[in-house]
């Protein structure tokens, strides 16, 4: 039986400054910015963090079938992907998860682009993207602590629809199972999440210690 979805209306995680700067293309050895630019950057990061309303959800679900080309969830839904199947090679369960920073920062990004400061929009965009990823990191850290009691752990990496050979259409499977409308998310017919700065992913659940076979 599929477990219940766990929702978090407020995730206490923020993006790391280093990650934000990397997304902006900052290189500590090559990038030179003056004092005015530094103040503008710092202000943009502070604004972005304040505008993010990080929320998320996860669901633990068993795999009913596993092959080199696909995995099948216990509800019968097929996810074709060689890369995902490889990630889940030692897993008989998966964790479906989603995180969103909410609509407020996305609205501000568009406002800055249209009638504000486009450079601030770029900074806010980087903060929002990294914060959404930080939300998934937080969910994985939390769930790993719960799994430790069972002698299990999540795969080191997670995989999101739209990357590699995992088609973006698989967003609908995760979206529907997590019932993300409860967090005010929507999915377009092109499988794009709204608000835009939202992300879905899967990670495998596997034994903490590999057993000899």
């Amino acid at each position: 039986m599929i477990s219940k979805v766990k929702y978090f209306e407020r995730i206490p995680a923020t993006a790391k400054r280093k990650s934000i700067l990397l997304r902006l293309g900052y290189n500590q050895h090559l990038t030179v910015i003056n004092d005015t630019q530094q103040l503008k950057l710092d202000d943009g990061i502070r604004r972005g963090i304040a505008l993010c309303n990080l929320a998320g959800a996860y669901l633990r679900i068993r795999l009913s079938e596993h092959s080199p080309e696909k995995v099948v969830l216990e509800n019968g839904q097929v996810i074709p992907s060689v890369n995902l199947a490889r990630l889940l090679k030692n897993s008989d369960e998966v964790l479906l998860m989603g995180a969103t920073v909410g609509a407020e920062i996305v609205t501000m990004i568009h406002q800055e682009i249209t009638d504000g400061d486009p450079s601030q929009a770029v900074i806010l965009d980087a903060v929002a993207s990294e914060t959404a990823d930080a939300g998934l990191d937080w969910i994985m850290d939390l769930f790993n602590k719960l799994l430790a009691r069972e002698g299990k752990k999540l795969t080191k990496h997670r995989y999101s629809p739209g990357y590699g050979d995992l088609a973006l259409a698989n967003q609908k499977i995760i979206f529907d199972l997590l019932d993300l409308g409860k967090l005010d998310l929507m999915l377009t017919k092109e499988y794009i999440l709204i608000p835009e700065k939202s992300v879905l992913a899967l990670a495998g659940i596997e034994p903490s210690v590999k057993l000899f076979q």
Side-chain angles (χ1 to χ4, degrees):
M1 180 180 291
I2 301 175
S3 62
K4 291 185 178 180
V5 179
K6 176 67 175 178
Y7 295 99
F8 302 93
E9 294 185 356
R10 179 70 66 176
I11 292 178
T14 55
K16 295 180 180 178
R17 181 182 176 85
K18 182 178 180 180
S19 298
I20 296 170
L21 294 178
L22 285 173
R23 186 174 284 268
L24 289 169
Y26 178 86
N27 185 314
Q28 62 177 339
H29 302 296
L30 300 176
T31 306
V32 178
I33 57 178
N34 58 39
D35 291 343
T36 300
Q37 292 170 326
Q38 184 67 61
L39 288 172
K40 194 172 186 178
L41 174 62
D42 293 342
D43 180 61
I45 291 176
R46 282 194 297 268
R47 284 181 65 210
I49 291 173
L51 287 167
C52 287
N53 300 300
L54 187 58
Y58 72 69
L59 173 67
R60 181 178 187 171
I61 184 170
R62 293 190 62 81
L63 296 175
S64 64
E65 185 181 335
H66 191 289
S67 75
E69 297 83 23
K70 67 179 185 298
V71 295
V72 182
L73 304 181
E74 66 175 285
N75 65 351
Q77 290 184 298
V78 180
I79 304 178
S81 168
V82 172
N83 292 336
L84 180 63
R86 187 180 300 120
L87 176 69
L88 303 178
K89 64 181 180 180
N90 297 316
S91 302
D92 57 9
E93 297 176 275
V94 292
L95 186 71
L96 309 181
M97 55 193 138
T100 180
V101 297
E104 187 175 5
I105 189 169
V106 174
T107 299
M108 184 57 66
I109 290 170
H110 291 303
Q111 287 180 1
E112 293 286 9
I113 291 173
T114 56
D115 55 11
D117 183 347
S119 65
Q120 280 291 292
V122 173
I123 296 171
L124 295 178
D125 187 276
V127 173
S129 296
E130 290 300 320
T131 301
D133 283 342
L136 293 186
D137 289 340
W138 184 88
I139 289 173
M140 290 182 70
D141 287 344
L142 173 67
F143 201 74
N144 263 326
K145 292 174 183 176
L146 300 176
L147 285 176
R149 305 170 188 170
E150 304 175 31
K152 297 180 179 181
K153 63 181 178 64
L154 291 172
T155 50
K156 182 178 179 181
H157 301 290
R158 58 179 178 255
Y159 211 63
S160 292
Y163 289 90
D165 67 344
L166 184 60
L168 188 63
N170 290 294
Q171 296 240 91
K172 181 167 175 54
I173 294 176
I174 303 174
F175 184 93
D176 289 347
L177 284 171
L178 292 177
D179 195 7
L180 289 173
K182 291 184 177 180
L183 293 179
D184 295 325
L185 269 72
M186 294 185 293
L187 190 69
T188 71
K189 61 182 181 180
E190 292 83 18
Y191 309 111
I192 303 300
L193 289 164
I194 297 176
E196 299 163 21
K197 296 304 176 179
S198 306
V199 61
L200 308 181
L202 308 90
I205 299 172
E206 59 186 22
S208 295
V209 179
K210 292 182 180 180
L211 301 177
F212 292 102
Q213 300 190 12

